[in-house]
Amino acid sequence: MTLTKFDSRHIDRYNEPRFLVHFQWGTNEKVYRYALVETINTNEIDHTTKQKQGELGLSQKEIWEKKYK
């Protein structure tokens, strides 16, 4: 059962972007922590694919490994 304390739907309660976000997936007992790694201007990212130039055709995992691993 997802706990309210870690429900990602509450992100809109914050007035400023968060550097760390914590939430649970479905009924998983683990809490996942995501960190802000980049801010992107709207004209630099495709609104449909959510990919920037040089990332097109790559999976989310491939983008992450290329930039952050």
Side-chain angles (χ1 to χ4, degrees):
M1 173 172 90
T2 300
L3 301 174
T4 302
K5 293 179 185 176
F6 301 110
D7 190 336
S8 62
R9 293 174 292 181
H10 296 297
I11 194 77
D12 61 354
R13 292 183 178 177
Y14 301 105
N15 294 325
E16 298 290 328
R18 305 296 293 173
F19 289 94
L20 297 174
V21 178
H22 303 81
F23 60 92
Q24 289 178 294
W25 285 101
T27 59
N28 190 325
E29 293 295 319
K30 293 184 179 184
V31 174
Y32 293 82
R33 175 185 284 175
Y34 282 74
L36 174 64
V37 295
E38 183 176 13
T39 57
I40 305 166
N41 292 327
T42 55
N43 64 338
E44 296 174 348
I45 189 166
D46 184 283
H47 72 279
T48 305
T49 65
K50 310 297 188 275
Q51 293 176 321
K52 299 186 317 181
Q53 200 69 9
E55 297 174 346
L56 297 174
L58 299 177
S59 69
Q60 288 185 354
K61 184 176 182 181
E62 290 170 326
I63 293 168
W64 181 82
E65 287 176 340
K66 178 181 175 182
K67 294 194 66 137
Y68 308 113
K69 191 170 182 183

